[in-house]
Amino acid sequence: MKNAAALSGHPPTAAPAVGVGSRSRRAGRAAGPEVGRRAAPQPASAASTDLSTRDRVTQLLLAQGATTAGQLGSALGLSPAAIRRHLDAMLADGDVLAREQTVRGSRGRGRPAKVFLLTDAARVRCGTHHYDNMATAALRWIARNGGPDAVEAFAADQVAALEARCRAAMEDAGDDPLARSEALAGALTAEGYAANASTIASGGQLCQHHCPVAHVAAEFPQLCEAETAVISRLVGTHVQRLATIAHGDGVCTTHIPTQPRAQSGNTVTTVRTDR
């Protein structure tokens, strides 16, 4: 937790040594106007100032929880208009949400004041949650007590709901694997995977630029394998997973052949291209 000086954004400054200012001015005059101009401090940009203020708002909300705009402004030394401008920007970015203040007992006339609090996404960025560590620990426990088959069953169960939602979003995609991969990319993007599909000489390529479970999948590749199996079933053909974020690649890349193959036995192949 930051102290009050850190939240205020005004760190203490040491008093200048006696005579330093006068010597500096004499040195600047002796060296000419050019040196003096270079030594002059540059004002901070408005964008960097706004970012610093929003960081302070975030830290204060993290420490205090639901807080009114007036309380935030008073704590940070900002006018009502200034704190409102920052809160509006943070609302638009999805960093805070607003709700009516809960008043216990009788209250006066008028609507209750609004309070602002951090969204779950903003709290995660503050590093206050350790979901990855907990998920990894849970899978280690499953592996110790149930073995590899239990981990695979868990991974398959986790992607089942994702598969159902994506299949519903792809109802009108037709039977062509490439068309279905484009529809799947849209469905995955809606799920937070930042996906896109493209056509290449040997068929199609599905790229996912974000992986919600990358840190866990680095230790338990069964999660990637279960997801790849889902992609195969949804596009209706054999697929090859060429790269994954969990293994250090920048993008999860899945190759989709032009012609579907008979789906007997395994329909998923993982080919590492970085070795």
Side-chain angles (χ1 to χ4, degrees):
M1 185 60 62
K2 294 186 177 180
N3 57 31
L7 289 176
S8 69
H10 299 290
T13 56
V18 176
V20 169
S22 59
R23 286 199 300 271
S24 298
R25 286 192 292 273
R26 287 198 298 272
R29 286 195 296 270
E34 182 63 24
V35 173
R37 283 198 297 271
R38 285 200 301 267
Q42 298 297 319
S45 67
S48 63
T49 301
D50 284 351
L51 181 60
S52 174
T53 301
R54 289 171 201 174
D55 286 342
R56 291 157 58 201
V57 172
T58 298
Q59 291 299 320
L60 200 57
L61 289 174
L62 188 64
Q64 298 186 3
T67 311
T68 67
Q71 291 167 337
L72 288 169
S74 297
L76 299 174
L78 297 174
S79 67
I83 191 63
R84 172 59 65 180
R85 178 171 62 84
H86 290 296
L87 288 171
D88 285 345
M90 295 175 75
L91 282 165
D93 290 341
D95 291 334
V96 301
L97 55 88
R99 68 185 183 198
E100 288 189 352
Q101 186 177 31
T102 301
V103 179
R104 305 186 187 280
S106 59
R107 61 178 178 86
R109 295 181 178 180
R111 298 181 61 181
K114 282 188 177 180
V115 292
F116 297 86
L117 59 160
L118 294 177
T119 61
D120 289 341
R123 287 181 176 275
V124 168
R125 286 196 297 274
C126 290
T128 57
H129 296 292
H130 304 281
Y131 296 134
D132 284 351
N133 293 340
M134 183 177 294
T136 302
L139 279 168
R140 288 172 182 166
W141 189 93
I142 293 172
R144 283 197 308 270
N145 292 275
D149 290 344
V151 176
E152 290 180 10
F154 174 83
D157 183 73
Q158 288 299 295
V159 297
L162 173 67
E163 180 176 0
R165 293 192 299 271
C166 288
R167 190 177 296 279
M170 297 167 61
E171 284 182 346
D172 301 325
D175 297 326
D176 178 64
L178 300 185
R180 292 188 66 80
S181 68
E182 291 181 0
L184 176 57
L188 288 173
T189 296
E191 295 284 341
Y193 287 82
N196 68 278
S198 58
T199 301
I200 57 177
S202 57
Q205 189 165 272
L206 178 69
C207 294
Q208 297 157 245
H209 299 270
H210 175 66
C211 176
V213 295
H215 291 88
V216 184
E219 183 173 343
F220 294 95
Q222 294 93 329
L223 295 171
C224 292
E225 293 164 5
E227 181 183 286
T228 308
V230 165
I231 294 173
S232 177
R233 290 193 294 268
L234 289 174
V235 300
T237 186
H238 167 88
V239 300
Q240 291 178 324
R241 181 57 73 83
L242 304 178
T244 62
I245 295 173
H247 284 89
D249 301 299
V251 179
C252 293
T253 306
T254 305
H255 178 246
I256 302 165
T258 303
Q259 296 297 326
R261 299 182 185 179
Q263 295 197 26
S264 58
N266 293 332
T267 61
V268 176
T269 303
T270 300
V271 180
R272 300 291 298 152
T273 59
D274 58 346
R275 295 176 183 171

